[in-house]
Amino acid sequence: MKPLTHPHIDDITVEGILHAFSNPARIQIYAAMAAAECPQCCSAYLSIKGKILPKSTLSQHFAILRESGLIRSERRGNEIHNTTRCDELDKKFGGMIDGILDAYLAQSLAVRKKKR
Amino acid sequence: MKPLTHPHIDDITVEGILHAFSNPARIQIYAAMAAAECPQCCSAYLSIKGKILPKSTLSQHFAILRESGLIRSERRGNEIHNTTRCDELDKKFGGMIDGILDAYLAQSLAVRKKKR
DNA sequence: GCGCAAGTTCAGGAATACAGAACTGTTGAA
DNA sequence: TTCAACAGTTCTGTATTCCTGAACTTGCGC
């Protein structure tokens, strides 16, 4: 099994991050991960917004998040512990990530209100 | 020829914007448009970062930017005048767009420095 | 009218995304 | 140690999206 590789902070690009975020499942995964208090394994995100994702799809989403530099993944025995790289990213990209997350969370809240 | 339609501000979504921005040509067009002092027609962006885009490709990029709600396009006789909708967008999405643009511009600057 | 320039639409091929099936590697219990 | 269950990956075919050249429409000036 391949070792998990992460791009160096200098190799992370705005376009890569925006592409990773351009998929609804991926931005939701990232938002949930950013809100989590401790590292979560991949299968914690098998069900997202009431939809169930196939494991293979999820695995590929995680690969894209990892390769774009948004998250860090570490093998812990059987599972993989995932965390955001927000400290590094905030230093490099200023308020970009937070700005996106804030807007996304505000939108999610608004949608939930509407549904009631 | 179809009339140009723009989504209502309430129908603009974070995912739509991020998808529009996930393409290098589109974010560059938007950045240039945001920096321009007056409305630009589409063909002002035929050459972007040294690359020449086919007209058809450009036309579709503009359609995506328009439908995502990022820009406003108005027919002026033969050509189309394009402007960003940044006032509305800033009101709706807080610092998201500016955060993205700032990071993108900073990255572009860094790249240009490296090339020298 | 004519020619030209600005954009659009269409059609194809290329690239990318998705999901089911089969797989690898790890854990824990018998 | 053997084996079943579990976490995640890889492979593969299909569906979707993206890109671009060619043909087209519309508007302007001569």
Side-chain angles (χ1 to χ4, degrees):
Chain A
M1 201 165 280
K2 283 181 193 169
L4 299 170
T5 60
H6 300 84
H8 187 276
I9 184 73
D10 294 339
D11 296 329
I12 300 176
T13 66
V14 174
E15 290 94 327
I17 288 178
L18 295 179
H19 170 250
F21 275 157
S22 70
N23 178 290
R26 287 196 295 263
I27 191 171
Q28 172 62 35
I29 289 171
Y30 185 87
M33 198 181 294
E37 306 207 334
C38 56
Q40 304 286 308
C41 65
C42 299
S43 52
Y45 305 95
L46 271 173
S47 140
I48 213 84
K49 292 209 164 183
K51 278 220 165 190
I52 290 180
L53 293 181
K55 279 197 306 175
S56 56
T57 303
L58 195 64
S59 174
Q60 291 170 108
H61 282 328
F62 270 95
I64 289 174
L65 287 169
R66 185 163 54 240
E67 285 159 18
S68 74
L70 280 168
I71 69 172
R72 188 173 295 284
S73 309
E74 293 178 47
R75 247 182 254 288
R76 283 278 190 280
N78 209 11
E79 39 191 46
I80 291 182
H81 283 190
N82 298 285
T83 49
T84 69
R85 295 174 67 174
C86 52
D87 288 355
E88 295 169 84
L89 293 169
D90 286 348
K91 212 173 285 173
K92 170 156 185 173
F93 293 113
M96 179 176 84
I97 312 268
D98 283 345
I100 294 173
L101 266 194
D102 287 350
Y104 179 73
L105 295 175
Q107 172 180 292
S108 303
L109 274 180
V111 170
R112 252 189 279 163
K113 262 190 200 166
K114 222 178 197 173
K115 278 191 182 162
R116 279 192 239 147
Chain B
M1 204 165 276
K2 282 182 192 168
L4 299 169
T5 61
H6 301 84
H8 187 276
I9 183 74
D10 294 339
D11 296 328
I12 299 176
T13 66
V14 174
E15 289 94 328
I17 289 178
L18 295 179
H19 170 249
F21 274 156
S22 70
N23 179 292
R26 287 196 295 262
I27 191 170
Q28 172 61 37
I29 289 170
Y30 184 87
M33 198 181 296
E37 307 207 334
C38 57
Q40 302 288 307
C41 67
C42 300
S43 51
Y45 305 95
L46 270 173
S47 141
I48 214 83
K49 291 207 165 187
K51 278 220 166 191
I52 290 180
L53 293 181
K55 280 196 305 174
S56 55
T57 304
L58 195 64
S59 173
Q60 289 172 108
H61 283 328
F62 271 97
I64 289 175
L65 288 168
R66 188 180 327 120
E67 285 158 18
S68 73
L70 280 168
I71 70 172
R72 189 173 293 286
S73 310
E74 293 178 48
R75 247 183 254 288
R76 283 278 190 280
N78 210 10
E79 40 189 46
I80 291 183
H81 283 191
N82 299 284
T83 49
T84 70
R85 295 174 67 174
C86 52
D87 288 354
E88 297 169 83
L89 293 169
D90 287 349
K91 212 172 283 174
K92 170 156 185 173
F93 293 113
M96 179 175 85
I97 312 267
D98 282 345
I100 294 172
L101 266 194
D102 287 349
Y104 179 72
L105 295 175
Q107 173 181 290
S108 303
L109 273 181
V111 170
R112 251 189 282 162
K113 261 190 203 163
K114 219 178 200 175
K115 278 192 184 160
R116 276 190 242 147

